Amino acid sequence: MRRLKKILLKILVGLGIIYLLLLIPDSKQSAGSPAPQEPFAWQQDARWSKLEQQFDKALTQPPVVIDSAVAILMQQQQQLLQQLALQPLPATDSGWLQLLNNYFEMAPLVAARPVHRDTFLACYNTTRNLVKQQSQYWDINQKNIRNTLYQLLYGMRAATEEVLLQTDTLPYAPVLNVTATPALSPATNLLGIQVHSGDLLVSRGGAPVSALISRGNNYPGNFSHVALIYVDEKNTAYLVEAHIEKGVAIASAQQYVQDKKLRFMVLRPRADLPAIKANPLLPHQAAKFAYDAAQQRHIPYDFKMDFYDSSALFCSEVASYAYKKQGIHLWQAVSSISSQGVVNWLSNFGVTHFVTQMPSDLEYDPQQSVVAEWRDPETLQNDHLDNAVMDALLLQADKGKTIGYNHWLLPPVRILKGYCMLLNLFGKPGIIPEGMSATRALKNQTFVAMYNRVKNQTQVLVNAFIQQHHYYPPYWQLLALANTAAGS
């Protein structure tokens, strides 16, 4: 019995020593340097408040008054569109911002009088197509030009979605077809959208990290993921995409649709690009290259977001690397992350490159045409709520808020990480993703908990706002509520 006690004591002492050794923190790494550019800022709070007041007023006005105002603004918009379409114009032409201003002025009126919504959406399509067409003549690496392009494309989407949210009692189709860009690659149908091999699908997931990726950028956007679609000779579609959990993988169209998405947009390289005019099947060949590469070797996820190194790939890099092999360089203007708070938080998850390729910025690449957008009416509110919560949290990050972790959980999580590494050796994903350390996994747990707490508190404030005002809070109000929740 005494001998047994000694053995047990030695085991306990040994386990204690192992536990203490596993408590030793990772070596401290610097967060990295942010990109030198300044993040875009609207700085138009007074204007947003005025638009909300116009909406509130329009709700009580006679329909004939609103109809007349919408007709005048729509006529002005159509005349301006015709003028701007006559010839290539620089981004500095005053007509572009006038186009956006007219659209903003129409939005609260249409939100109060949804009978005009379809016309408003058609105007959105026409305007966006013109902007995308004209942007091929713009140097979007110039700060002022990129700002204008962002204001136009992001601003119109934001105004459109405010209208959709305020008129959600009137059903609308999830698919908004934008432009029929010609393509000779094999095609198939995805959720009512005709997609071609080589198309790029930018989407937004429902996880907190998805919101971080879409908003943690000098130009906050709506998308957090990129997938490259490959359609084989039997017109079967496959999505080639990089996942944090398992690296580069191939999904069927059904698997892609079933994976939680709040939205996605289909982009297609313009048919008049010199490389595609010379070889119309180039997009298909790029997709086939990515598909074959994913089958031939295991490609780990690139947490560093280093698009110069193809040994590991993040989601944007899957598309850019495949097209680069065919002579087309996507992301004509790379993404920059200049906020020190965002840099600090992304560093917690292994990011080391803050001049990179972010999913949302692909929309602004003049080489791409927007084919269609898909929004689930049931998840659009959640998408906006996620954006506001993340914007509020990133403001806290800029004020010095850090992401910590439960230090006492480090030993068991490190043991779990060791088990996950064994699974990775046999080609299986583990609970902790390949390339993510135990410490980073714990920080991710803290981040998710913090995000969910703020989101739940924001939702309570949203419900109170709706009860008081009888409409869903527009984004600027949503952000104010999220800031209140994040600061509490």
Side-chain angles (χ1 to χ4, degrees), residues 17 48 53-54 77 79 85 107 118 159 196 218 222 231 251 263 266 318 320 327 335 345 351 357 380 387 400 404 431:
I17 292 172
W48 311 143
Q53 291 168 10
Q54 290 173 348
Q77 192 79 339
Q79 290 174 347
D118 287 348
H196 286 260
N218 281 5
N222 297 107
V231 182
R263 62 164 80 231
V266 180
V318 170
S320 66
S335 308
W345 278 23
V351 178
Q357 296 171 331
L380 186 57
N387 283 353
I431 297 175

Side-chain angles (χ1 to χ4, degrees), residues 38 41 62 115 134 166 197 233 285-286 305 326 333 351 428 442:
E38 285 294 319
V115 68
Q134 291 268 4
Q166 300 302 340
S197 193
E233 64 280 358
Q285 291 165 359
M305 295 183 72
Q326 306 301 321
V351 178
K428 297 180 179 179
L442 285 170

Side-chain angles (χ1 to χ4, degrees), residues 121-335:
L121 292 176
C123 179
Y124 174 41
N125 266 359
T126 303
T127 308
R128 174 162 55 176
N129 284 336
L130 177 61
V131 171
K132 287 291 292 178
Q133 182 182 10
Q134 291 268 4
S135 70
Q136 66 182 294
Y137 305 109
W138 301 349
D139 179 5
I140 63 170
N141 282 290
Q142 292 186 33
K143 180 73 173 178
N144 63 325
I145 294 177
R146 190 167 182 179
N147 284 353
T148 298
L149 183 59
Y150 176 76
Q151 285 177 289
L152 288 165
L153 295 181
Y154 182 86
M156 285 190 296
R157 174 182 288 109
T160 300
E161 292 184 355
E162 290 296 343
V163 169
L164 293 176
L165 286 171
Q166 300 302 340
T167 61
D168 63 349
T169 55
L170 181 65
Y172 63 87
V175 174
L176 177 64
N177 289 302
V178 180
T179 183
T181 302
L184 295 181
S185 299
T188 190
N189 190 282
L190 184 68
L191 290 178
I193 303 170
Q194 186 180 59
V195 292
H196 286 260
S197 193
D199 284 357
L200 300 147
L201 276 63
V202 289
S203 61
R204 172 67 176 274
V209 72
S210 296
L212 175 59
I213 292 170
S214 65
R215 307 304 290 179
N217 184 357
N218 281 5
Y219 295 90
N222 297 107
F223 304 98
S224 59
H225 186 66
V226 180
L228 180 59
I229 190 164
Y230 166 66
V231 182
D232 67 12
E233 64 280 358
K234 297 179 181 178
N235 295 110
T236 303
Y238 299 94
L239 284 302
V240 187
E241 48 190 344
H243 294 280
I244 289 174
E245 299 82 4
K246 55 188 175 183
V248 178
I250 298 170
S252 67
Q254 183 179 8
Q255 289 170 328
Y256 180 81
V257 170
Q258 288 176 344
D259 190 21
K260 183 179 181 182
K261 287 177 180 59
L262 302 180
R263 62 164 80 231
F264 73 83
M265 178 170 63
V266 180
L267 297 172
R268 182 174 302 154
R270 296 195 341 257
D272 61 352
L273 293 177
I276 294 181
K277 288 176 70 174
N279 177 13
L281 290 179
L282 185 152
H284 178 57
Q285 291 165 359
K288 182 68 162 60
F289 172 85
Y291 177 83
D292 289 343
Q295 285 192 317
Q296 290 165 4
R297 69 181 178 98
H298 169 63
I299 307 173
Y301 187 84
D302 180 9
F303 283 92
K304 295 180 180 180
M305 295 183 72
D306 178 6
F307 66 93
Y308 293 107
D309 181 2
S310 59
S311 59
L313 301 175
F314 61 100
C315 65
S316 299
E317 201 177 358
V318 170
S320 66
Y321 181 61
Y323 268 95
K324 184 170 70 173
K325 285 292 185 179
Q326 306 301 321
I328 292 181
H329 293 265
L330 303 181
W331 279 268
Q332 284 195 341
V334 293
S335 308

